[in-house]
Amino acid sequence: DWESDRDEATESEGPRAMVSTKKRRRRAESTDTEPAFKALRQENEELREERDRSREEVEGLKLSNAKLEAGCQTPQEKDKEVKLPTEVWAIIAGKIHPNDVCSFALVSKQLREAQVLAGRKLVTRPFGENENGFPTVDDYFTEDWCAYWSRKFNVRYTDPKVIKCVLNVAARQGYVQVFKKYWSHRNSPIKWTMGR
């Protein structure tokens, strides 16, 4: 129908008539499509809101799924913390490595009680006394103990007396590997030679 109007406008009236015919056609189309545009805009807004709600639901589901996978509640949701009885901790204390007893006992009062119940000694001094009253190194200062402390020492900040104490234990017990591995490097403050 509009093509016939265009043909008529171009033949009879020229370019001005053609422009006015296009304007009339646009007005007619806009009045027909305006309600459709409003409906599409409304539907678009509804879909955006639905998408946002879906995203929130997905995030909530992810959080609840993570809680289920972890098998526990978050600390805020716990009313009371579940604690193992001291007797159970005593069994555990009886099975840990001798070098770890002190660290175990320092965690809490309950674990200190468990360490006592298990009959495990706390090593607090590197030297004991023999039957003659002379200072000796106790047997529980293993090569692993000396290696552990040699790794942990920061030579710049650790008191040299403490370092010397550990090195004396290693020397008296014959833990040569501790010296080779941790104290033979160039920057070591301890200068020693083997077999010289």
Side-chain angles (χ1 to χ4, degrees):
D1 184 38
W2 66 272
E3 286 183 9
S4 61
D5 290 341
R6 186 187 63 159
D7 290 339
E8 289 174 16
T10 56
E11 291 174 9
S12 62
E13 299 176 9
R16 287 187 180 175
M18 204 164 98
V19 171
S20 63
T21 305
K22 284 184 181 178
K23 285 183 181 177
R24 275 186 266 140
R25 187 181 76 237
R26 286 184 189 148
R27 282 188 206 127
E29 286 177 0
S30 68
T31 57
D32 292 341
T33 58
E34 231 174 84
F37 279 131
K38 286 182 182 178
L40 288 173
R41 283 186 184 135
Q42 179 66 29
E43 184 179 353
N44 194 15
E45 284 298 317
E46 290 171 1
L47 289 172
R48 283 183 183 156
E49 290 173 5
E50 186 178 337
R51 180 196 63 197
D52 293 341
R53 282 193 304 271
S54 296
R55 285 182 180 168
E56 290 172 6
E57 289 176 17
V58 166
E59 291 301 317
L61 290 173
K62 283 182 182 177
L63 182 62
S64 63
N65 188 24
K67 287 180 186 177
L68 289 174
E69 285 179 6
C72 64
Q73 296 175 330
T74 59
Q76 294 83 9
E77 295 173 347
K78 290 181 182 179
D79 292 337
K80 204 172 193 182
E81 193 173 307
V82 178
K83 292 185 179 182
L84 288 176
T86 305
E87 292 77 19
V88 173
W89 284 114
I91 294 169
I92 295 168
K95 296 183 179 189
I96 61 175
H97 192 275
N99 289 344
D100 299 327
V101 175
C102 187
S103 298
F104 178 85
L106 290 173
V107 170
S108 69
K109 185 175 180 181
Q110 183 185 21
L111 295 187
R112 172 75 170 110
E113 292 171 2
Q115 172 260 323
V116 170
L117 278 174
R120 301 295 298 268
K121 288 184 179 179
L122 271 185
V123 177
T124 55
R125 292 184 305 147
F127 300 103
E129 290 183 1
N130 63 11
E131 60 275 353
N132 298 330
F134 294 108
T136 62
V137 177
D138 292 327
D139 293 335
Y140 43 78
F141 290 101
T142 63
E143 188 171 4
D144 290 339
W145 183 85
C146 293
Y148 171 82
W149 285 108
S150 293
R151 275 193 317 269
K152 294 296 180 183
F153 287 145
N154 184 338
V155 178
R156 289 184 177 174
Y157 302 110
T158 305
D159 185 1
K161 293 177 184 176
V162 174
I163 294 174
K164 185 178 179 183
C165 180
V166 171
L167 293 178
N168 284 338
V169 169
R172 286 186 183 141
Q173 294 290 1
Y175 301 144
V176 177
Q177 290 301 320
V178 172
F179 286 99
K180 282 184 180 178
K181 188 170 184 179
Y182 299 105
W183 298 103
S184 65
H185 56 286
R186 288 184 185 186
N187 297 331
S188 173
I190 310 298
K191 303 295 183 202
W192 64 284
T193 57
M194 291 184 57
R196 287 189 193 173

